Amino acid sequence: MRTPLSIRARTSLLFAASAAAVLMIAGLSFEHALSDRLLKQDTVELRGKMDVVRKILLGIRTKADEQALPLRMNDVISGHPGIIITVRANAAVLFASGDQEIGSRLATESVPPGDKPAMRAFGSKVYRYLVRRIPQASPDGGDSRAVIALDVTDDQKFVAELRRYLWTGMAAVLLVFGWLGWGVVRHGPAPLRAACPPGGPRARRR
């Protein structure tokens, strides 16, 4: 037969569990808000760049326009080291920038519904990417397929580090509040009696 926990142990666990629960809720809420913020930021960035790519592709009318494509794409690439862009039409590559081993693999991905970015990991790198089919945006008037991927490895490492600190903090709070609860139950009202002895000033006034 198992020995039931003492009232001292139960109170200590209650102190620790309550504090850990509050910290966990606050931490998870902050983590969710941060992840949502990063997703929205990347979504705005990807859609903005994709709109620029679409306008550039729709402006291709002649062979000279096609040859000038890399120069016009500089506006999309600038300011984003590690960005991957792949534009294809009828299996021909119209433009490619960045790690094309990853770009070629992303180019085979299906276009997600609702024009939403997706995220994939390749080794130690994590990319958030957007795939879009652009009608009548190739030199021969056919459709083009564009892929834009942002390197979000550092952002994901930051979120993972935050999660690690969250669980470490929960463990520390669990120990601290468990110890405090144990001390409160063990000493009971002794500190209060020491601060307000029966023969104190109030008793003498009587």
Side-chain angles (χ1 to χ4, degrees):
M1 184 175 179
R2 296 178 60 184
T3 304
L5 291 174
S6 65
I7 187 65
R8 183 181 301 174
R10 293 178 186 177
T11 306
S12 301
L13 290 175
L14 180 61
F15 265 72
S18 300
V22 171
L23 181 63
M24 181 178 67
I25 293 172
L28 291 177
S29 298
F30 180 74
E31 180 187 345
H32 177 74
L34 176 62
S35 298
D36 188 59
R37 173 63 180 171
L38 292 175
L39 173 59
K40 289 180 179 178
Q41 178 179 307
D42 293 340
T43 300
V44 170
E45 192 72 28
L46 286 169
R47 287 179 178 172
K49 290 189 177 297
M50 187 63 80
D51 288 340
V52 174
V53 170
R54 177 179 175 275
K55 291 177 181 178
I56 293 174
L57 292 176
L58 290 174
I60 297 177
R61 293 291 182 269
T62 65
K63 193 68 176 177
D65 292 335
E66 184 179 350
Q67 292 174 349
L69 186 59
L71 183 61
R72 299 184 66 187
M73 283 289 190
N74 283 336
D75 292 337
V76 184
I77 301 172
S78 61
H80 287 274
I83 188 173
I84 297 174
I85 300 178
T86 304
V87 181
R88 295 186 177 188
N90 300 323
V93 178
L94 299 180
F95 179 80
S97 175
D99 190 338
Q100 285 307 300
E101 181 180 353
I102 296 176
S104 299
R105 295 170 67 178
L106 292 177
T108 62
E109 297 286 333
S110 59
V111 178
D115 197 30
K116 294 181 179 179
M119 192 162 62
R120 279 193 61 183
F122 296 91
S124 60
K125 293 288 187 177
V126 182
Y127 290 89
R128 201 186 306 273
Y129 64 96
L130 188 62
V131 183
R132 185 182 289 179
R133 184 179 64 85
I134 306 175
Q136 301 178 349
S138 66
D140 60 359
D143 296 346
S144 293
R145 185 182 181 87
V147 179
I148 302 179
L150 299 176
D151 187 347
V152 295
T153 306
D154 290 340
D155 291 343
Q156 296 306 307
K157 284 182 178 179
F158 178 74
V159 173
E161 190 75 5
L162 174 67
R163 189 180 299 114
R164 187 174 68 84
Y165 279 122
L166 171 65
W167 290 109
T168 303
M170 283 178 56
V173 168
L174 193 68
L175 292 174
V176 170
F177 274 79
W179 177 79
L180 288 175
W182 182 272
V184 168
V185 176
R186 180 181 180 183
H187 295 289
L192 183 61
R193 287 198 299 267
C196 301
R202 182 175 298 180
R204 286 195 294 267
R205 284 198 299 268
R206 293 178 183 176

